[in-house]
Amino acid sequence: MTWEQALQAWQTNQPPRHYLSITDLNPKTARAVLDLAHAMKRATRQGIELFRFERPTAFALIFEKPSLRTRVTLEVGLYQMGAHGVYLTQNDIQMGKREAVMDIARNLGRWVQGVIARVFYHSVLHELAQFAGVPVINALSDHEHPCQALADWMTIEEYKGNRPLTVAWVGDGNNVCHSFMLLSALLGHSVRIATPEGYEPDPQVLQQARAWGSVYLTHDPEEAVAGADVVYTDVWVSMGYETEREIRMRQFAPFQVNEALMRHALPDAIVLHCLPARRGEEITDAVLDGPQSAVWDQAENRLHTQKALIALLCHSQGQNP
Ligand code: CP
Ligand code: NVA
């Protein structure tokens, strides 16, 4: 896939103005991002960039929560494409405290060509999108982590090719689960989700995913993992939920991804984790460091998928005429 082919596929299939949720994509725009990301990875490894911004281009990178992968891959990816990222923490701009979100959005829109934000409340992303006048990208909210899901599926395709698969999510029905479940269904795969009672995915997200494809919900991790091609887990205590740590540790204990659980999956199943991992909690060292683990490729692919997304989203809106 060349850049021109990807752009054509993106532009002719109702591209979104912002990327706040997997629901901003359709099967064709999702395919365009993933195909371009695969091509960009191959090209970057040969020292070639398939897309570079021609005009001076800057992005605001708002982070209300900590980050390793998302921040580094965004900053490095923008650099590789000839753009600049301005990193802003909650300490710097104090969204909603020092200044109203809508005013911050209006200011940023006068200086930068895109806003990428990691926020506590998903509604803040909608407000940024309403007032910024430039594309807004969700770098994780309490509700979704749609940049992560693109890297997840790029990784799965590298290992498994482009065929219908059964993917299992084990643990919290959280932000990462929502985006992964939605994109899996959108791309035509079968999803199985095992959570403790009370930690199921949001019913509306579940309903949307089921409108697109098959999603099976259970409270039994072995049932979810049985015969699966992919086993995915995430921390039991997401950022913002630290006060629930004690009770969650008890309730999630049977949902650890360990070698015993992995024996229920297909022998060539891969293991995903968005990272950071709490070793010995949701996943054991033996699995994370074992032969089925694809987590380092998954982390690398954050770079390529975000570059593809930013290039398509921002170019198609005339930010790089
Ligand atoms: N997976 C992920 O988003 O990692 P960071 O929180 O380190 O960005
Ligand atoms: N669910 C985790 C993902 C971190 C990348 C969190 O929100 O903290």
Side-chain angles (χ1 to χ4, degrees):
M1 154 100 34
T2 64
W3 158 249
E4 286 74 21
Q5 288 166 334
L7 185 63
Q8 165 85 3
W10 176 264
Q11 283 178 329
T12 53
N13 287 293
Q14 300 174 313
R17 176 140 177 69
H18 306 284
Y19 185 57
L20 308 187
S21 163
I22 297 297
T23 58
D24 291 320
L25 297 177
N26 57 49
K28 290 190 171 147
T29 47
R31 196 64 262 150
V33 179
L34 287 169
D35 287 346
L36 180 60
H38 285 293
M40 280 181 154
K41 181 171 183 172
R42 284 192 293 275
T44 298
R45 291 204 163 159
Q46 295 169 349
I48 299 162
E49 290 302 320
L50 294 187
F51 173 83
R52 283 185 64 83
F53 288 96
E54 284 155 20
R55 289 183 172 186
T57 305
F59 288 79
L61 309 178
I62 299 174
F63 279 80
E64 291 189 324
K65 306 180 189 181
S67 167
L68 172 69
R69 279 146 292 273
T70 309
R71 178 183 175 185
V72 174
T73 53
L74 284 169
E75 290 205 21
V76 171
L78 291 174
Y79 171 74
Q80 290 177 350
M81 296 193 292
H84 181 68
V86 182
Y87 176 64
L88 300 163
T89 70
Q90 182 63 351
N91 253 354
D92 302 311
I93 58 173
Q94 299 171 36
M95 279 202 295
K97 289 194 191 116
R98 182 170 184 267
E99 195 164 2
V101 174
M102 64 167 92
D103 294 347
I104 290 176
R106 287 174 171 131
N107 277 269
L108 289 174
R110 298 296 178 104
W111 306 317
V112 300
Q113 284 65 47
V115 175
I116 307 179
R118 167 168 289 196
V119 298
F120 280 98
Y121 301 108
H122 192 76
S123 57
V124 168
L125 294 172
H126 284 287
E127 202 172 347
L128 288 171
Q130 190 180 345
F131 292 101
V134 293
V136 175
I137 295 175
N138 180 356
L140 181 145
S141 70
D142 57 337
H143 196 60
E144 272 204 57
H145 197 359
C147 288
Q148 179 69 54
L150 289 170
D152 302 340
W153 270 101
M154 178 176 182
T155 310
I156 296 169
E157 289 175 0
E158 285 178 337
Y159 279 82
K160 302 284 172 200
N162 251 332
R163 59 187 169 90
L165 298 168
T166 300
V167 299
W169 175 273
V170 180
D172 195 6
N174 62 12
N175 46 5
V176 176
C177 173
H178 285 167
S179 293
F180 182 65
M181 170 174 80
L182 286 168
L183 187 56
S184 302
L186 188 71
L187 294 173
H189 302 282
S190 252
V191 188
R192 304 216 203 111
I193 295 176
T195 73
E197 277 181 51
Y199 295 95
E200 297 84 3
D202 180 293
Q204 280 185 341
V205 178
L206 193 60
Q207 195 183 7
Q208 175 61 71
R210 281 182 168 155
W212 286 336
S214 151
V215 183
Y216 178 72
L217 202 57
T218 171
H219 299 301
D220 177 353
E222 289 179 7
E223 190 189 10
V225 163
D229 297 284
V230 175
V231 178
Y232 196 156
T233 191
D234 183 15
V235 290
W236 293 339
V237 185
S238 284
M239 294 180 279
Y241 296 83
E242 290 79 4
T243 56
E244 299 176 15
R245 181 166 178 81
E246 212 174 309
I247 183 161
R248 281 173 172 260
M249 292 302 286
R250 279 200 302 277
Q251 288 175 312
F252 282 86
F255 290 79
Q256 184 184 65
V257 174
N258 51 34
E259 286 167 299
L261 184 65
M262 284 307 298
R263 280 196 276 277
H264 295 269
L266 290 177
D268 65 347
I270 60 164
V271 174
L272 298 182
H273 191 310
C274 59
L275 307 176
R278 298 282 295 220
R279 288 170 176 267
E281 291 185 12
E282 76 278 0
I283 191 163
T284 57
D285 288 343
V287 174
L288 193 65
D289 300 328
Q292 290 171 284
S293 174
V295 301
W296 317 119
D297 295 314
Q298 186 185 4
E300 177 185 339
N301 290 337
R302 296 294 306 277
L303 175 70
H304 309 294
T305 44
Q306 283 161 189
K307 283 171 69 180
L309 173 77
I310 290 168
L312 291 170
L313 193 69
C314 298
H315 187 287
S316 69
Q317 291 181 47
Q319 298 302 329
N320 189 40

